[in-house]
Amino acid sequence: MSIRATARIHAVRTEGGATALPVLESAGPLALRRTRASGAGAKVTVVGAMSAPLGGDRLAIEAEVGAGARLAVDSAAATIALPGRDGERAHYDVRLTVGDDSELRWLPEQLISAYGSDLRMRTRIDLAPTARLVYREEQILGRYGEMPGTLSTRLTVHRDGRPLLDQELGYGPGAPGGWDGGAVLGGHRAVGQLLIVDPAFEEKEPEVRILSGTAVLTPLAGPAVLVTALAPDALLLRRLLDAVLRDEAG
């Protein structure tokens, strides 16, 4: 039996300058737990309460960060896309809204596309003009020694109502031909992106940089940079992205 569930987070700034969580609503396999944060911000960890997403599931998580609030979201473990009994596609939607002078650090663990699975993941982010964002996504194509399932992802970001980034990727059976070729993944099985949006970049725009043989930092048409990286495994991918995170976002 497939699952339909939407988890919700709402962070607001209190009169004392701290961040409160008036809404922390778990749903289905998405269990939300407030965990220890540094400073005046709040931190939420997503804990998988059951195996998901399975074929046919429709899961979503929504987070809204009010003006002046600070929120960090991570996860306790990787998310594994698994096949269902009837071969249906699973859907996982992420919707993030970040208000003026607020900050969201969205740093979950990897998404693993297991053999036989079919997952369509969509992320929509809406940013106020003075919002700050650190957003990481990592996809691991297959568990150890196996081919990946079918994975389709789309990341859409708007800032002040205007498009900042709209990117769609596809891997595995059914994806456009050549996804595993030398012009795309070149045989790598770990792929990730790190998006940093900061109004401070308007004063000093970062330059294009080749970070390694398989990673590049690219300024966007706005106060933002996008890092795209490939690696043979999840550990090396994380090391690449963490190095940039330390340098560019503190």
Side-chain angles (χ1 to χ4, degrees):
M1 182 176 179
S2 60
I3 297 173
R4 284 161 171 74
T6 299
R8 295 180 174 87
I9 307 168
H10 187 194
V12 298
R13 179 185 170 94
T14 67
E15 291 184 1
T19 297
L21 298 173
V23 177
L24 192 62
E25 182 180 330
S26 301
L30 302 173
L32 307 179
R33 300 288 184 265
R34 182 162 189 166
T35 48
R36 181 176 296 178
S38 58
K43 183 178 179 182
V44 173
T45 298
V46 182
V47 179
M50 62 183 76
S51 295
L54 302 175
D57 288 351
R58 289 184 174 269
L59 306 179
I61 183 167
E62 301 175 353
E64 180 180 354
V65 186
R70 304 286 184 270
L71 176 65
V73 178
D74 64 4
S75 59
T79 297
I80 305 178
L82 296 167
R85 292 183 178 180
D86 53 12
E88 285 188 41
R89 170 178 287 175
H91 295 261
Y92 192 177
D93 295 324
V94 178
R95 295 184 286 272
L96 310 175
T97 305
V98 190
D100 272 315
D101 194 32
S102 59
E103 179 179 284
L104 174 63
R105 298 174 70 91
W106 189 268
L107 301 169
E109 293 301 308
Q110 298 93 349
L111 169 65
I112 300 173
S113 175
Y115 178 73
S117 65
D118 187 352
L119 176 64
R120 185 181 182 92
M121 185 168 183
R122 295 292 179 266
T123 300
R124 167 72 185 237
I125 305 174
D126 290 289
L127 303 171
T130 56
R132 292 177 296 280
L133 172 73
V134 176
Y135 173 88
R136 182 182 69 206
E137 63 176 30
E138 299 166 302
Q139 292 96 30
I140 310 304
L141 306 180
R143 293 169 292 191
Y144 182 77
E146 74 174 7
M147 293 297 293
T150 298
L151 175 61
S152 171
T153 71
R154 183 173 181 178
L155 172 61
T156 305
V157 184
H158 285 76
R159 178 178 179 267
D160 195 19
R162 299 177 181 179
L164 178 66
L165 176 66
D166 192 344
Q167 181 167 281
E168 187 163 2
L169 303 171
Y171 310 106
W179 66 270
D180 196 29
V184 186
L185 295 187
H188 293 87
R189 283 294 180 267
V191 57
Q193 298 184 100
L194 179 67
L195 173 65
I196 303 172
V197 183
D198 192 332
F201 290 154
E202 291 179 325
E203 301 296 328
K204 184 179 180 181
E205 181 181 277
E207 298 179 352
V208 175
R209 298 206 310 270
I210 303 299
L211 305 173
S212 72
T214 56
V216 61
L217 181 150
T218 306
L220 301 182
V225 296
L226 177 68
V227 177
T228 304
L230 300 174
D233 57 47
L235 179 60
L236 292 176
L237 177 66
R238 179 62 59 85
R239 286 176 178 171
L240 279 171
L241 296 181
D242 278 353
V244 181
L245 192 58
R246 288 190 299 269
D247 292 343
E248 301 293 338

